[in-house]
Amino acid sequence: MSHRIAVIEGDGIGQEVIPAAVEVLESLDLDLEFVEGDAGDAVKEATGEALPQETYDLAADADATLFGAAGETAADVILPLRDAVDSFVNIRPAKAYPGVNAVRPETDLVFLRENTEGVYSGHEDDLSDDLSTLTRVVTTSASEKLAEFACEYVDGEGFSVVHKANVMRKTDGRFRDAVVRVADDHGVDTDEVLMDAFATRVCLDPEQFDTIVCPNLAGDVLSDLAAGLVGGLGLLPSANIGDDNALFEPVHGTAPDIAGEGVANPMATVLSAAMLLNHLGYSEESDRVETAVETVLAEGPRTADLGGDADTDEVTQAIIDEL
């Protein structure tokens, strides 16, 4: 069965790491069709729109999308793209790999982040020269949908619910109550951790956590914190999952300081491509890609952010050779 993949490089190193990931996918000789779309700062400067309607439609109609990064227009690109695929959960693994100088090499976490609401729902206002407001949106239905996904994802194992319901009683309280209720209905064990306490505890002992279910902003911030435990954002993939579609992207940004130099670390994007394969049902090929990445990380070559001197092409070719 053929699958149509929307490919959106975006800005900065997105234009280097996305072609690298596509090259890895093409080396597997699967029935994948890659269709390119434009988005980001340069597109806005040229057309007035950071995300043209044709790119939005491309992502909406594809079987999955592989996206790089956007610069100043990030919110105008990634949030609508997540909407295009009807994403309701963001999956962010944070795993320490052999050969990487990780602060906490025992770290192996997965964040399941609500992907549509919270403070990212876009309700901001200037009420006066002195006052701006931000409305935080939390619904029972979205929280329950995330919880249903989490219960299936952990396959009978438990998960941690990370929130701040002791302060945000109405919103995080609603989120916590909905998630715990669904987990109870499925016979899935949960433990609750306040997000600030989690930030300390995960740094001191990451092995006490496995799967973390949390609201939108908390998931964004805490998964970036976890990146510091495993060697940096250059190693973190992510998936934005909808009912019938999905968007995959590295967690890192555009890295303008090295963009265009050909030295960007492609690992996070290649691992995002592995998640894409698994989503489309190519579980064996997904495992092969992740194993190849692990081998190259352990044996080299590595890019400068991981202490090596290889460029993007050399690392990409090493992964392909390993495959």
Side-chain angles (χ1 to χ4, degrees), residues 110-123:
V110 177
F111 291 84
L112 303 181
R113 162 189 167 196
E114 202 288 317
N115 214 24
T116 65
E117 298 186 331
V119 296
Y120 289 177
S121 53
H123 300 291

Side-chain angles (χ1 to χ4, degrees), residues 222-241:
L222 294 174
S223 60
D224 277 14
L225 181 150
L229 303 180
V230 302
L233 290 173
L235 295 173
L236 264 64
S238 75
N240 302 276
I241 304 297

Side-chain angles (χ1 to χ4, degrees), residues 163-184:
H163 58 77
K164 194 64 177 172
N166 62 326
V167 174
M168 295 180 284
R169 297 173 182 174
K170 298 295 184 182
T171 50
D172 263 25
R174 178 181 293 273
F175 173 86
R176 175 203 59 201
D177 292 348
V179 172
V180 171
R181 181 174 60 253
V182 169
D184 286 345

Side-chain angles (χ1 to χ4, degrees), residues 175-246:
F175 173 86
R176 175 203 59 201
D177 292 348
V179 172
V180 171
R181 181 174 60 253
V182 169
D184 286 345
D185 290 344
H186 286 270
V188 174
D189 293 333
T190 59
D191 63 285
E192 296 183 40
V193 189
L194 295 177
M195 65 176 70
D196 46 349
F198 175 88
T200 299
R201 288 173 57 187
V202 75
C203 293
L204 295 173
D205 181 17
E207 285 188 296
Q208 66 185 291
F209 300 109
D210 186 356
T211 302
I212 298 97
V213 177
C214 48
N216 205 334
L217 177 61
D220 194 3
V221 174
L222 294 174
S223 60
D224 277 14
L225 181 150
L229 303 180
V230 302
L233 290 173
L235 295 173
L236 264 64
S238 75
N240 302 276
I241 304 297
D243 290 323
D244 302 305
N245 203 338

Side-chain angles (χ1 to χ4, degrees), residues 18 106 139 174 196-197 235 240 255 262 287 296 315 317 320:
I18 289 294
E106 69 273 27
T139 65
R174 178 181 293 273
D196 46 349
L235 295 173
N240 302 276
D287 290 344
V296 174
V315 172
Q317 189 58 52
I320 294 171

Side-chain angles (χ1 to χ4, degrees), residues 125-133:
D125 290 293
D126 290 320
L127 300 187
S128 73
D129 291 341
D130 186 53
L131 175 63
S132 298
T133 62

